[in-house]
Every structure is written in structure tokens, then in C-alpha cells.
Amino acid sequence: MKIAILGAGAWGTALGLVLDKNGHEITLWSHNAEGLREIQSAGRNVRYLPEVPLPSTWLFEPSLGVAIRSAGAVVMALPSKAFRYVAEQLGALSCPIVSVTKGIEYETHRTMTEVLRHCVPNARISALSGPTFALEVALGFPCAIVAASREQSAAEETQALFHRTIFRVYTSTDVPGVELGGALKNVIAIAAGVGDGLGFGDSSKAALVTRALAEMRRLGVACGALPDTFAGLSGLGDLTVTCFSALSRNRRFGERLGRGEKLQDLLARPKELTEGYPTARSAYQLARRIGAETPIIDEVYAMLYKGKNIVDSLRDLTARSSKPE
Amino acid sequence: MKIAILGAGAWGTALGLVLDKNGHEITLWSHNAEGLREIQSAGRNVRYLPEVPLPSTWLFEPSLGVAIRSAGAVVMALPSKAFRYVAEQLGALSCPIVSVTKGIEYETHRTMTEVLRHCVPNARISALSGPTFALEVALGFPCAIVAASREQSAAEETQALFHRTIFRVYTSTDVPGVELGGALKNVIAIAAGVGDGLGFGDSSKAALVTRALAEMRRLGVACGALPDTFAGLSGLGDLTVTCFSALSRNRRFGERLGRGEKLQDLLARPKELTEGYPTARSAYQLARRIGAETPIIDEVYAMLYKGKNIVDSLRDLTARSSKPE
């Protein structure tokens, strides 16, 4: 099948390699035509995934209209802030569209598949989320992930596209649970990274992760998610690896803050920017609207958007830990 | 209060430092009189916790009878294989006894507080367990832990002994849940370490940890534990940090196996031995007796006791992952 991957970051590229191995024909689209040419001429994603060569059969298409024209399926691998802009241009599609973006839209508080349902009403929409690093997937390391859609048949369709022995795809119909798990854990990972940067140690991080999963579940359930989803790959699995792994960009972002780097300096380097940064604000807004108690998200929001001192934030986080979770 | 700590390993020493800071008078006992003298003369636990000096007020007592004679509380910080032998000598005590040992007794399948209740029927018995590394606790890093006893009052008594601002003690009355979480995660950590040694990556470890928590909960609930306990500090918290942290001895034990070191060689070096090794066998027996499905524990048991090839074991683990958990 011809599959258009929208977004030429590390994750879109890595998933293209999975789909390619499953026999699909890959077209990679990006709004950045120059970046696409660079990838094409180098035969690898020099900027975001330089470790892995790309098959010579891939097409690199700077026109979105051309890229999706004959696609049998579309993969949305964009930053959340660009997601709606691109989704709005897919309005007429009725093929499967798979969101692999982990975020919550600012102000609307919509997850990415909610944005898709709004913009592309006739498409068969699913989310693919779980504890997976692009580099590990691209290198063929074993991993497991969840395809979620309101209809089991659409989840299975996505499963069939991506599933391989070493890239195990499970299915779920709890779309908000799977998407919120993937989005919220990036916010928590920033807090975990700040603790790393301040030298708080792994024992305290384990306590943070334990409380965080309860917080994510509380907020998720208030949004209509099923509690058990947060004990699965897209909740517990993704949260723990993002908070503990050296490969996690959100954790590293927090670690740099914890070590004393200035937020402005990190924000000025787009490559350092991670989804946890915008999601902290969206999740904070969402929790206020819904009335859910989210002490960890609140502190990350205060650190990133209200100029709160990170040491004060971590201390307040500890002080608010008045009951076990 | 005078508190006798039985066992002069890293964890007993670190908890002695916590109790000391709370104003208690520490007596450290070990069956190894020479080891005790070494600690006393060096002013630090040279063998197991050399990084941290010990207060000069500590007593080092090679006679168990003398150590417990006027103790207001006793902390059992022994390897699980020595636990019953020492517990049998405490028969007449009626003071609080806190088990900080994570294990399951071979053949009886009793947790450590069950052994204590059997041997010391008049004592007020509790377990203290959670995601804490001895070195981090000894250095005063922040962390959180759970005191569990059948009676809330006994759990609170233990909480009062240990609780500090940076050593937060929560309480639970789900003793089997707290103890099995602490014991079983050591077995899982060996599997996680084998994956590390084989270079399987963090994504696959996240999938393993997710499945493992479901497996631990399943076995625990079959033994009378409450399912929610496994989402807390002594379950999820302890499991994740033990599987991901560089400080985890059980994970390192598995990593060495994964890198090709021979089991016999590791077993010949007592300092490398970890609780996960005996617990793998006890947990395997326990699961068979109860009829619980425990694919990860089964594979670790087969690797450690049946000479199964670790690569085959990891592959079988992946193959058995036929449904999401």
C-alpha cells in the first residue's frame, strides 16, 4: 500500500522504516522542502535520525496534495502545534489516518485524534502510542505499542499496517486513555528530569513516577478514559521509560533546567524543544477546566510558564505529597 | 529508643542512619563478629556502604541476646535465607519488629513477616518496603516508603520510628501486597537486566515492566493481596526503579548474565548475590502451588535453575506476549 508520512522528524522516519519492512511504499512529506531534499540526497534523516540509512525506494514529496493523492493510509507524525494546520488540508480523505503525535491542543484541549475527527470527518482515525524510542525502532530493537480507535476494526487495520514480530502492536478502543497517557507522561518526564539535574536520585524519581501515574489516571478518567488503560503500555510503560531512560528528550529537557540552564536558552534551540513543553500548558488548562487535582502538572506548568524557581517547585511537590498514591 | 538492627548489610546500615537522625540509639548486630569489628574500627561499613561515616555513638554487638536485650524495637535487615534462623531466636520478644528484607521463604513460600509471626507470636510485626536504594537513603536523598502491618496502629508505630521530611513513610494494612511487591520485583529486575546485557534497549524493557506489573498483581491477588497496592510505591514504584536504575543490584546481576558471564561465576561471588536469585525459585514454586500464570517469573527460574539459554528465554518471553496487559 502507498502510505504518506506527514512530518520528517525522527518518529515519522522510524515508523516509515517499520512500514517499509512490511512491504508498503513510503512517501515522506514535510513543510520544509529543503530539509526533505537534504534527507533525499544524504539517504538518511541527517538532522533527526542520522544513524539509519533509508531505502532508496522512498519518495520525498514537498507538496502535501501530491503526497496524499494516492495514499492508502496517512501517518500524522507532526509536532502538536502544526497538527491542526495540516489536518485541515486533509478534509476530503476517507482512508485510514494514524496519529502518532503525543500532545493536547492548546486552548481546545483536544487530543490529536479529536482534532482529526473534527477536520477529517470521513477518515478512519486511530492513534498509535506506547513506550518506543525512534532510534530503537529504527535500529530494529524489539518493542510493543498500542493502536487505538473508537472502532475495534479501525484499530485492527492500523495494527495490520504496523505489526511485526519485533514491533508488536496491540489494540484498544480507549482512545482518550491511550492518547492522554502518551501526552501527559511528557510533562511528568520534565519533572523527573529536573530531579535528575538537581541530583535528587532514583529513589525519589520512583516516588514521583508512582504519584504521577495516579495523577494521569485521575485526569484521564475525568476526561472519559478507562482507568486500566493507564496500567498498560501507553500509560505505565511509556511513563516509566520516559522518566528513566537516557534517550528521553523530555527528561533531558528537564535535566538541563535542573542543572541550571536557562529556559529561554532551551526554547531558542528548536531541536531541544519537546512536546512536554506545550503539553504542560494544555494539560494545566484542561485540569483546571475539568476540576481535577494535578499537583505535578501544576508545578511543571509553574516552572515553565510562571517563572517559578525549580528548587521551590520540587520542594512544593514533596510537601504536597501528603498521602500515598 | 534503643533499636537493634539485625544484619550489617547496606540496607540495615542506611536505615540505622535514618533512625539515628530521629534520635534513636542504634545497636548493630551481625553473625559475623569480625565484620562488625571492621565496621567499628573503620567508623563506616567498609564492605557494603563505604561512602558514609557512621556516628560514633553506635554500638556493635556480636551477641544476638545482648543486642536485643533492652531494645525497644528490632529491625530485621537480613538476607531472606538467614531470616528464619535469626527469627527463631527472638521468640520471647513482644516489642515492634520491622522486617526490611524482601524475599519469599523457600518451600514454605512465606513472606518475611509471615515467618516472623510464626516464630515471634507476641511481637508487633510490620514490613517496610518501597523504592529506596541504601546509598541514596544513607546520603540523605529524598525518598518515600511504605510501612505495612495487619493493624494500622502497628504500621503507624513503624511510621513514627522512621518518618523524616526526606524519608517519607506511608502506611498500609495490605501486608502481602507490600511484601510481595518488594520480593517479586527483584525477579523481574533480573529479566530486565538480561535484556540490558543483550542490548535489547529501553523500549522493550518498558514493555517487560508493564507486563511484569500485571503478572505481579495477578500472583499477589491470588495470595490475598489487594490489587491497588501494586500501583503504589511498593509495587509500581519499586519495580520501575529496580528495572531501570543503574544502582539496582538485581538488574546488574541480570545484566552480567546477559553479557555472557557464567551463572556459576556470579554465584561464587557472594557480594554479587541478590535476593532475586532465591526469590525466583520461591516465586516459581508459589505460582505453581497457587496456579497463577507467571510467564516472566517462569523464564527467570528456567534461566537460573534449569540452565535454559538466556537468549532462548528472552525470545520465549516475547513469543508469549500474545496479548496486551
Side-chain angles (χ1 to χ4, degrees):
Chain A
M1 183 189 292
K2 287 187 179 175
I3 297 182
I5 296 177
L6 311 186
W11 193 215
T13 307
L15 288 174
L17 290 164
V18 173
L19 293 166
D20 182 89
K21 290 213 178 82
N22 280 352
H24 300 294
E25 299 159 48
I26 304 302
T27 299
L28 195 63
W29 171 86
S30 163
H31 76 290
N32 178 355
E34 196 187 326
L36 272 187
R37 274 195 301 275
E38 190 182 73
I39 296 173
Q40 184 163 25
S41 72
R44 52 186 74 216
N45 192 331
V46 184
R47 195 172 167 77
Y48 293 109
L49 199 65
E51 297 85 351
V52 187
L54 303 179
S56 58
T57 49
W58 284 27
L59 302 176
F60 301 90
E61 178 52 62
S63 157
L64 181 58
V66 174
I68 64 174
R69 191 175 297 151
S70 56
V74 171
V75 176
M76 299 280 282
L78 301 149
S80 63
K81 65 178 179 184
F83 200 92
R84 178 180 288 271
Y85 176 77
V86 175
E88 281 170 344
Q89 299 171 65
L90 309 180
L93 288 183
S94 60
C95 67
I97 305 182
V98 185
S99 164
V100 301
T101 300
K102 295 171 176 175
I104 300 170
E105 197 179 37
Y106 181 49
E107 290 189 333
T108 71
H109 313 142
R110 285 193 165 116
T111 65
M112 298 301 109
T113 65
E114 286 169 348
V115 173
L116 276 175
R117 273 200 298 274
H118 192 242
C119 298
V120 202
N122 296 321
R124 298 197 295 285
I125 292 160
S126 62
L128 188 69
S129 185
T132 48
F133 289 115
L135 178 61
E136 293 191 348
V137 169
L139 292 172
F141 285 32
C143 64
I145 197 164
V146 181
S149 184
R150 286 181 174 186
E151 287 85 38
Q152 177 64 22
S153 61
E156 287 172 5
E157 193 169 39
T158 300
Q159 180 185 43
L161 286 176
F162 287 93
H163 189 82
R164 298 176 55 70
T165 308
I166 55 158
F167 189 82
R168 304 183 71 84
V169 183
Y170 298 103
T171 61
S172 168
T173 53
D174 181 13
V175 187
V178 167
E179 285 193 289
L180 287 173
L184 296 173
K185 59 91 190 174
N186 284 333
V187 183
I188 308 301
I190 293 177
V194 169
D196 286 342
L198 291 169
F200 269 38
D202 286 340
S203 305
S204 72
K205 196 196 286 187
L208 176 79
V209 163
T210 307
R211 294 181 60 210
L213 191 64
E215 177 169 325
M216 288 165 55
R217 185 173 48 227
R218 194 162 56 230
L219 179 55
V221 168
C223 295
L226 300 174
D228 283 356
T229 302
F230 293 88
L233 289 167
S234 62
L236 161 64
D238 204 1
L239 173 67
T240 55
V241 77
T242 308
C243 288
F244 278 102
S245 174
L247 290 173
S248 161
R249 294 175 68 223
N250 288 283
R251 193 201 59 74
R252 282 207 306 266
F253 179 86
E255 187 174 14
R256 290 179 158 205
L257 288 175
R259 284 191 178 150
E261 290 192 44
K262 296 270 172 264
L263 180 61
Q264 308 85 291
D265 296 345
L266 292 177
L267 297 181
R269 295 202 296 271
K271 235 192 125 175
E272 307 298 333
L273 251 191
T274 60
E275 281 292 357
Y277 178 72
T279 306
R281 184 169 63 163
S282 305
Y284 175 80
Q285 287 182 335
L286 171 64
R288 295 298 77 68
R289 194 190 82 202
I290 295 206
E293 200 192 337
T294 52
I296 302 174
I297 290 167
D298 298 358
E299 287 299 331
V300 176
Y301 171 76
M303 272 190 255
L304 299 180
Y305 291 93
K306 295 291 169 187
K308 184 164 178 180
N309 179 287
I310 56 164
V311 177
D312 292 346
S313 245
L314 261 274
R315 198 181 47 218
D316 288 355
L317 219 40
T318 310
R320 286 180 72 169
S321 171
S322 56
K323 61 183 173 55
E325 291 185 305
Chain B
M1 185 190 290
K2 287 187 180 174
I3 298 182
I5 296 176
L6 311 186
W11 192 215
T13 307
L15 289 173
L17 289 164
V18 173
L19 292 166
D20 182 89
K21 290 214 179 80
N22 280 352
H24 301 294
E25 299 159 48
I26 304 302
T27 299
L28 195 64
W29 171 86
S30 163
H31 77 290
N32 178 354
E34 196 186 329
L36 272 187
R37 272 194 303 275
E38 191 183 72
I39 296 173
Q40 184 165 24
S41 71
R44 52 186 74 217
N45 192 332
V46 183
R47 193 171 169 79
Y48 293 109
L49 200 65
E51 298 85 353
V52 187
L54 303 179
S56 57
T57 50
W58 284 28
L59 302 177
F60 301 90
E61 177 54 62
S63 156
L64 181 58
V66 174
I68 62 174
R69 190 175 298 151
S70 56
V74 171
V75 176
M76 299 279 283
L78 301 149
S80 63
K81 66 178 179 185
F83 200 91
R84 178 180 288 271
Y85 176 76
V86 175
E88 282 171 344
Q89 299 171 64
L90 309 179
L93 287 183
S94 60
C95 68
I97 305 183
V98 185
S99 163
V100 300
T101 300
K102 295 172 176 175
I104 300 170
E105 197 178 38
Y106 180 49
E107 291 191 331
T108 71
H109 315 142
R110 285 193 165 118
T111 64
M112 297 301 110
T113 65
E114 286 168 348
V115 173
L116 276 175
R117 271 200 299 275
H118 191 243
C119 298
V120 202
N122 295 320
R124 299 197 294 285
I125 292 161
S126 63
L128 189 70
S129 185
T132 48
F133 289 116
L135 178 61
E136 293 191 349
V137 169
L139 292 172
F141 286 31
C143 65
I145 198 164
V146 181
S149 184
R150 287 180 174 186
E151 287 85 38
Q152 177 65 20
S153 61
E156 287 172 5
E157 193 170 40
T158 299
Q159 180 184 44
L161 286 176
F162 286 93
H163 189 82
R164 298 176 54 70
T165 307
I166 54 159
F167 189 82
R168 304 182 71 85
V169 183
Y170 298 104
T171 61
S172 168
T173 54
D174 181 13
V175 187
V178 167
E179 285 192 289
L180 287 173
L184 296 173
K185 58 91 190 175
N186 285 332
V187 183
I188 309 301
I190 293 176
V194 169
D196 286 342
L198 291 168
F200 269 38
D202 285 341
S203 305
S204 71
K205 197 196 287 187
L208 176 78
V209 164
T210 306
R211 294 181 62 213
L213 192 64
E215 176 170 325
M216 287 165 54
R217 186 173 47 228
R218 194 162 56 230
L219 180 54
V221 168
C223 296
L226 301 174
D228 284 356
T229 302
F230 293 88
L233 289 167
S234 61
L236 160 63
D238 204 0
L239 173 67
T240 56
V241 77
T242 308
C243 288
F244 278 103
S245 174
L247 290 174
S248 160
R249 294 175 67 223
N250 288 283
R251 193 200 59 73
R252 283 207 307 264
F253 178 86
E255 189 174 14
R256 291 180 157 202
L257 288 176
R259 284 190 178 150
E261 290 192 43
K262 296 270 172 265
L263 180 61
Q264 308 83 291
D265 296 344
L266 292 177
L267 296 181
R269 294 202 296 271
K271 237 193 123 174
E272 307 297 334
L273 251 192
T274 60
E275 281 293 356
Y277 179 71
T279 306
R281 185 169 63 164
S282 305
Y284 175 80
Q285 287 182 335
L286 171 64
R288 293 299 75 70
R289 196 190 81 202
I290 293 206
E293 202 191 336
T294 51
I296 303 174
I297 290 167
D298 298 358
E299 287 300 332
V300 175
Y301 171 75
M303 271 190 255
L304 299 181
Y305 291 93
K306 296 290 169 188
K308 184 164 178 179
N309 180 287
I310 57 165
V311 177
D312 292 345
S313 245
L314 261 274
R315 197 180 48 218
D316 288 354
L317 219 39
T318 310
R320 287 179 72 167
S321 172
S322 56
K323 63 184 171 54
E325 292 185 302

